[in-house]
Amino acid sequence: MNDEHFVYSLEELGSLTKTANGEVLTIITQKRERPHPATYIGKGKVDEVLNVVEELEPDIVIFNDELSPSQLRNLSTILNVRIIDRTQLILDIFAQRAKSKEGKLQVELAQLQYLLPRLVGQGISLSRQGGGIGTRGPGETQLETDRRHIRNRINEIKQQLSSVVRHRNRYRERRQKNQAFQLALVGYTNAGKSTIFNRLTTAGSFEEDLLFATLDPMTRKVLLPSSYQALITDTVGFIQDLPTTLVAAFRSTLEEVKEANLILHIVDSSNEDYANHEQTVYKLLDQLDVSEIPILTVYNKKDLTPASFVPSPMEDYVSISAFSEEDLEKLMKKVEELAKGGMNHYAVEIPANEGRVLSQLKSETLITSFHFSEEDEMYNVEGYVLPSHSINGQLEMYNGEGQEHV
């Protein structure tokens, strides 16, 4: 980690602490070639931290990395204060923010997977639902009982999660049958995804200047300039150095991204570390295997962007402020333009008595021209339709020549 990246990472840890309702009293850093295997920091630095702990009497000391079980145990013993690492802090925020059943289960699963190897010598005692006689095997220690309890709970959660995911898949299939154009908002945490989502849909998704403000995917309807109705999904924010257990646990909350026709990658262009944020998002998108889906980069907070800002070299991007109506209109025009690129163009003549077909065209396709000819009592309709939409067959009947793939 270079010095600049280290500074940004520490600032982010401060933001995470604020999000978890904590207050930063002081920051202590050390430059080492490699972490100390027993205490992560060197012996002299441990003594320095001990002096600060005795002076300031903090409730907690947070390390900006994932500590091994032995490092956590040794530091807790020496410093005689509660020690947590970056992973535990993120888990704590996730636990506060998760609202849906799936979100809560995912958080608990990640917490238990993190806790399991760290039980040794922690003196952690877990309450068991059974309790009392008959809950332990012959000669089983408290530690073994706790481990068994955690493993059982992990299995229970995995079963419940598969049921919740199946339920959401049914909703997703229903949406696909409705043949709607789907947008997914992705981006680094606190980039402004929920603000943009709210401005476009007036949905009231939780919106605050905090990291991980959104944890559960939310889907709402949004109107493009032509009045074509699309679906837009807000997703959990990405973060660099996300622990492996969390990437695995929260991948299912990002499954919605795989169903999108267009990904809107929201980047906070006012953040000095925006380039690293972009790379973090791209790495996670690669892991999700969504490279075939077109991406539009949306540089948000343009009113706060420094003069030194340079957009990353890419084909499609737009700079906006989420609070500017004009900018949001510009964004949706760009979205509509890209949507057309992935749809079939059609130009058909529909008889005036075909009300059902006309209604379906209005509600399920992107219409660019709609005129009634009194002379032959026909509607001349031109527009774009998703290639997979069932109405494509009917359109060919009305005008086989009028359809082409753009």
Side-chain angles (χ1 to χ4, degrees), residues 296-332:
L296 171 63
T297 301
V298 181
Y299 288 114
N300 188 28
K301 309 186 187 180
K302 77 172 188 186
D303 47 322
L304 305 172
T305 301
S308 56
F309 171 77
V310 179
S312 300
M314 59 190 66
E315 287 177 35
D316 281 308
Y317 77 86
V318 60
S319 291
I320 69 160
S321 164
F323 297 101
S324 160
E325 283 297 326
E326 196 180 317
D327 283 357
L328 291 177
E329 282 170 23
K330 179 175 75 172
L331 170 62
M332 294 320 283

Side-chain angles (χ1 to χ4, degrees), residues 159-390:
Q159 284 173 0
Q160 286 183 50
L161 272 174
S162 63
S163 161
V164 171
V165 169
R166 275 199 307 274
H167 184 66
R168 198 175 68 217
N169 283 344
R170 283 199 292 274
Y171 273 112
R172 195 183 293 149
E173 282 162 19
R174 200 176 301 160
R175 282 212 305 272
Q176 283 174 325
K177 277 179 189 165
N178 292 342
Q179 304 289 333
F181 186 84
Q182 297 188 48
L183 299 162
L185 291 175
V186 303
Y188 203 78
T189 185
N190 207 29
K193 293 182 303 301
S194 296
T195 305
I196 290 171
F197 182 78
N198 286 339
R199 296 295 176 272
L200 294 177
T201 66
T202 61
S205 171
F206 182 78
E207 171 198 320
E208 201 173 326
D209 184 20
L210 292 174
L211 301 188
F212 299 118
T214 304
L215 259 188
D216 301 306
M218 184 188 279
T219 302
R220 292 285 182 270
K221 290 172 183 172
V222 63
L223 283 182
L224 300 191
S226 64
S227 296
Y228 175 62
Q229 190 172 272
L231 293 175
I232 189 166
T233 299
D234 190 13
T235 61
V236 60
F238 294 32
I239 191 164
Q240 58 202 1
D241 311 320
L242 192 65
T244 322
T245 49
L246 284 182
V247 174
F250 282 86
R251 190 166 290 159
S252 67
T253 67
L254 293 167
E255 287 290 308
E256 305 280 329
V257 176
K258 288 186 174 183
E259 309 303 321
N261 300 95
L262 176 65
I263 292 171
L264 299 183
H265 176 194
I266 314 299
V267 180
D268 176 0
S269 56
S270 71
N271 190 303
E272 291 175 1
D273 202 26
Y274 74 92
N276 265 326
H277 293 181
E278 283 186 76
Q279 290 312 309
T280 300
V281 172
Y282 281 123
K283 273 183 204 163
L284 279 163
L285 286 176
D286 280 347
Q287 287 178 26
L288 282 171
D289 198 23
V290 293
S291 53
E292 298 301 306
I293 303 171
I295 296 177
L296 171 63
T297 301
V298 181
Y299 288 114
N300 188 28
K301 309 186 187 180
K302 77 172 188 186
D303 47 322
L304 305 172
T305 301
S308 56
F309 171 77
V310 179
S312 300
M314 59 190 66
E315 287 177 35
D316 281 308
Y317 77 86
V318 60
S319 291
I320 69 160
S321 164
F323 297 101
S324 160
E325 283 297 326
E326 196 180 317
D327 283 357
L328 291 177
E329 282 170 23
K330 179 175 75 172
L331 170 62
M332 294 320 283
K333 275 179 188 166
K334 185 74 176 171
V335 166
E336 184 161 287
E337 190 185 304
L338 291 170
K340 289 175 183 175
M343 297 167 107
N344 288 346
H345 176 254
Y346 70 85
V348 290
E349 291 183 331
I350 309 284
N353 60 358
E354 289 283 7
R356 191 182 60 80
V357 177
L358 288 164
S359 170
Q360 195 176 4
L361 286 178
K362 279 182 180 175
S363 62
E364 295 176 30
T365 76
L366 195 161
I367 291 175
T368 53
S369 172
F370 192 90
H371 296 294
F372 179 62
S373 166
E374 288 188 18
E375 196 178 319
D376 45 16
E377 295 199 340
M378 290 286 222
Y379 282 94
N380 297 310
V381 189
E382 198 171 337
Y384 295 82
V385 60
L386 285 167
S388 56
H389 201 299
S390 55

